[in-house]
Every structure is written in structure tokens, then in C-alpha cells.
Amino acid sequence: MSEITWLEGGAERSAQWRSESGWPAPKKVVLADDTMTADAAYRLALDGTALLWRGDFQNARQLLNALVRRVDHKSDRTRRAKAGKQQVTPTELFHRHRLQQLQRARTLAMLLIPFEAGHVIPLRRAPDVAEACLEAYGPADSPYVASLRELLGVIGAHEWRRKGVRIPALDAHIHPWYGVFSPVRGEYVELVAQAPLPPGAKLAFDIGAGTGVLSAVLARRGIERVLATDMDARALGCARENIARLGLAGQVEVIQADLFPDGRAPLVVCNPPWLPGKPSSAIEYAIYDPDSRMLKGFLNGLVAHLEPGGEGWLVLSDLAEHLGLRPRAQLLGWIAAAGLEVVARHDVRPTHGKASDPDDPLHAARSLEVTSLWRLRAKA
């Protein structure tokens, strides 16, 4: 980790800097407390000056909420002004939206919280966040500084992990870890739960297992052995914990591998990130696939890992098509070039809130979105 430095009491002080988004430590840091107004804090944050909080913790949360209102109000005005001047393509709208979201996150990350060793916050009315931070960061043997916004994300992830996400196809809960994408969009899980299995399939590969939810669904459907792969340490730990919690450790083995394990299987399942693009933080690797690396890697390696007559299941949204990021013809071209053909496609409409929210900046594309399970096999 890098260090963050600031002046306090006439002397230079420093601590370790933590940022799950990978942002560098702010160069300009001022002390802030309960006397700072939201307008003053907003001006400093826009200027790239970080605010190291020394006041009441709950007041810091109120200040962050005030910053959110100011940032979002400005974003709404900017979006309306641009929309009134010219028509933009869905692709341009998407890139503008991503840039606005990145700028929003950067501004809101300027409110910083100090931590002592053991993840203790030395502020009035500060909550006990040691367990949540230990889950996300691991042990902390020395003081550090992190953004309040990131801390709230850590706390929220801790609650997700504790309560879990109910998966109807399992009649059970999946417990996502911090930094591992939560299976809150249940339509793709239902597709895997309902698609017809290849005849006699006793072995399956789950490529990019994440929380392990699809591996668990396959095991519950009667697949005798599932090999689940991932490269991310958090995902590997999360999947193993969920599989053990569900009593499926005898059927599902979670291993570290870049895409495919060794060997062949009659069923190979992959739910890659749905949008081509560069992630701006660790959690976005579950959403954005740089240069479609995982998607193309799955397709290009599938024939070599399928048993004769086997199927590869590609779970993918067509949102990228409606945003102009990846035409359907390109996807079909990659499938054909990999020596594959489409056996069938099972479609479902998403049910998440943004799909029906007319105020969402990407509503026009989201309202058309379809999630599909592509059943693929090697060309005869």
C-alpha cells in the first residue's frame, strides 16, 4: 500500500492509504470537522482536495449525504442541458454516463476516515467496523486512511454476506463476499436452473464461478461432479464457503484456474462480464470484460474442453448490443470462428429495477435488454 501525508499540529503526518478502486492517495489533504459546511466541502472535493475527518463520525455521514445531493444535482443539470442541445447515440450516452459516474465516485471519495490498528475508527460515535473491515481488507497492524464512501460499501457488503441473497432455484441463500459480484439478478440463475441438461451429463465445468451460485445449481440438478474455476482470491474463498454451507463440497470442487480446468466435460457453463470495457475498480471486473477477453477466451477454448456431443452454455445479456458496444453479428462471428454452432437459445427479460426506471440515463437500452443462455456445441 502507498502512504497518504498531511499537515497537523504544525508537523507532517502519514498513514497507509487504502483504496479498493485503485486510486492513488490524494496529494492535497486538509483536516475537516463538524464546523465545515457542505458547500465548502463540496468546493474542496471538486478541486481534488481530500478532507480528513476529525469530527463526529455520524456528522461525517450526514456531510457525505449532502455531497451526494450536490453532485447528483449538478449531474442532472448537465445531462438535461446536453440532451436539449443534440441527439446522441446510445454508445455516446453510455460513455458519458460512465464518465459522470467515475467523476461522481472520485468526488465523493474525497471525504476520508482515519483508522487505527485493528480497524478501529478514533472518532466520536464511530461504529465498530472491525469485523466488516477484516472481511474486506484482512488484518490491519498499523493505522491507515480510507474514504468514508468505501467504508460504507464495506459495511454494506458485510451485511450482504451475513444475511445472504435468497436464490429460489436453490431454495437457499448465497452469501457474497466483499468484491465478489452478488447474484441479485436472478434471471440468469433461473436460465441455468431450467435449461435441459445434455443427456448423461455427470461432469460440468463452471468457468468464472464467482459466488459459486451456478455450480450449486448444477449440483442440485444432479450433476455428480462440478469443477468451478476462478482467478480471484476473494471469489475462490467465497465460492468455497457457499458450497460448504450448502453441503455440496462432495460434488463441487473450486480451483484456481484461468478459464478452463484440465480435461473435457459434457457441460461447460460460463457467465462472463456482459459489457466490453475497461473496469475502473476491482468489483467492475464482474461487469466489464476488457477487449471481451473472457468471452472470446471461453468461446475459443470451448471445443477443446467439450466431450463429444457436449454443450457449452454461454449466459450473456444483450445490453452491449443495445448500447452499440458489441453487435450481434460480431458475437455470432466469434461463435462460428471458434468452431461452434448454436443448438438453442433460451431468453428471459430482466426484472431488476433499472429495467423499468424511465429516469435511468440508459433506460432506452435497458428497456430492450434480454438475458440469454446460448447452448453451443462443436460443429459436426
Side-chain angles (χ1 to χ4, degrees):
M1 289 182 292
S2 61
E3 282 196 340
I4 182 172
T5 60
W6 67 94
L7 290 176
E8 186 169 6
E12 184 176 272
R13 299 183 61 183
S14 66
Q16 291 182 338
W17 167 250
R18 289 185 182 270
S19 172
E20 285 293 311
S21 298
W23 285 325
K27 298 297 183 183
K28 296 184 290 184
V29 182
V30 299
L31 301 182
D33 60 22
D34 307 324
T35 62
M36 178 168 284
T37 66
D39 287 337
Y42 180 55
R43 288 193 296 270
L44 288 167
L46 284 179
D47 186 49
T49 300
L51 313 172
L52 181 56
W53 194 253
R54 292 303 193 198
D56 180 90
F57 179 87
Q58 301 304 326
N59 287 345
R61 293 193 64 163
Q62 292 181 18
L63 178 60
L64 181 62
N65 290 335
L67 292 176
V68 168
R69 291 192 293 271
R70 284 160 174 78
V71 170
D72 289 349
H73 179 66
K74 180 182 178 182
S75 297
D76 288 342
R77 285 189 304 170
T78 301
R79 186 168 62 248
R80 286 195 296 268
K82 289 183 177 180
K85 290 181 180 179
Q86 58 180 345
Q87 293 294 320
V88 296
T89 66
T91 306
E92 291 171 329
L93 188 62
F94 168 74
H95 288 303
R96 284 184 185 180
H97 176 63
R98 278 212 76 194
L99 180 60
Q100 281 188 345
Q101 290 298 97
L102 184 61
Q103 293 171 337
R104 178 184 189 272
R106 193 71 180 107
T107 300
L108 297 178
M110 287 292 115
L111 183 53
L112 310 182
I113 297 295
F115 292 79
E116 294 178 347
H119 303 295
V120 175
I121 301 176
L123 300 175
R124 296 189 307 276
R125 293 201 294 166
D128 182 354
V129 298
E131 184 178 358
C133 291
L134 183 64
E135 289 175 351
Y137 299 138
D141 300 325
S142 58
Y144 67 93
V145 171
S147 81
L148 174 58
R149 188 167 184 261
E150 180 170 301
L151 172 63
L152 297 181
V154 167
I155 295 171
H158 172 66
E159 289 303 306
W160 273 111
R161 180 171 175 176
R162 183 177 65 85
K163 296 179 181 177
V165 179
R166 181 153 188 83
I167 307 297
L170 294 172
D171 192 24
H173 288 74
I174 286 290
H175 299 260
W177 287 17
Y178 178 77
V180 181
F181 201 69
S182 175
V184 290
R185 289 191 55 166
E187 72 269 9
Y188 76 91
V189 180
E190 288 299 321
L191 285 173
V192 174
Q194 296 173 11
L197 294 170
K202 297 182 179 181
L203 170 67
F205 297 163
D206 177 13
I207 310 302
T211 61
V213 61
L214 297 186
S215 293
V217 169
L218 293 173
R220 285 282 177 86
R221 292 195 64 185
I223 302 292
E224 295 179 5
R225 185 167 179 247
V226 180
L227 294 183
T229 70
D230 212 298
M231 286 294 290
D232 181 75
R234 283 175 175 156
L236 292 167
C238 179
R240 288 177 181 132
E241 182 181 89
N242 280 310
I243 294 302
R245 190 192 298 265
L246 293 169
L248 298 172
Q251 288 176 260
V252 180
E253 181 182 0
V254 181
I255 58 177
Q256 185 173 15
D258 188 3
L259 296 178
F260 299 94
D262 293 334
R264 297 173 180 264
L267 177 61
V268 183
V269 179
C270 183
N271 174 32
W274 290 349
L275 296 177
K278 182 180 179 181
S280 61
S281 63
I283 189 64
E284 284 198 344
Y285 276 93
I287 304 171
Y288 296 101
D289 189 6
D291 195 32
S292 299
R293 173 194 172 277
M294 186 173 181
L295 172 57
K296 291 189 288 188
F298 170 71
L299 294 173
N300 291 332
L302 184 56
V303 169
H305 291 88
L306 276 179
E307 290 185 356
E311 290 187 9
W313 289 1
L314 172 64
V315 182
L316 197 67
S317 158
D318 68 353
L319 181 60
E321 298 173 19
H322 300 299
L323 292 173
L325 302 176
R326 181 181 58 236
R328 174 63 60 92
Q330 185 177 51
L331 175 62
L332 294 175
W334 290 345
I335 291 172
L340 299 164
E341 61 183 6
V342 180
V343 178
R345 195 185 75 228
H346 305 273
D347 299 333
V348 65
R349 288 278 186 178
T351 57
H352 61 87
K354 287 185 178 180
S356 56
D357 181 5
D359 294 326
D360 185 276
L362 304 179
H363 173 69
R366 293 192 195 278
S367 64
L368 301 172
E369 182 184 6
V370 172
T371 303
S372 300
L373 187 152
W374 297 76
R375 292 169 53 201
L376 309 173
R377 67 184 176 194
K379 289 180 182 177

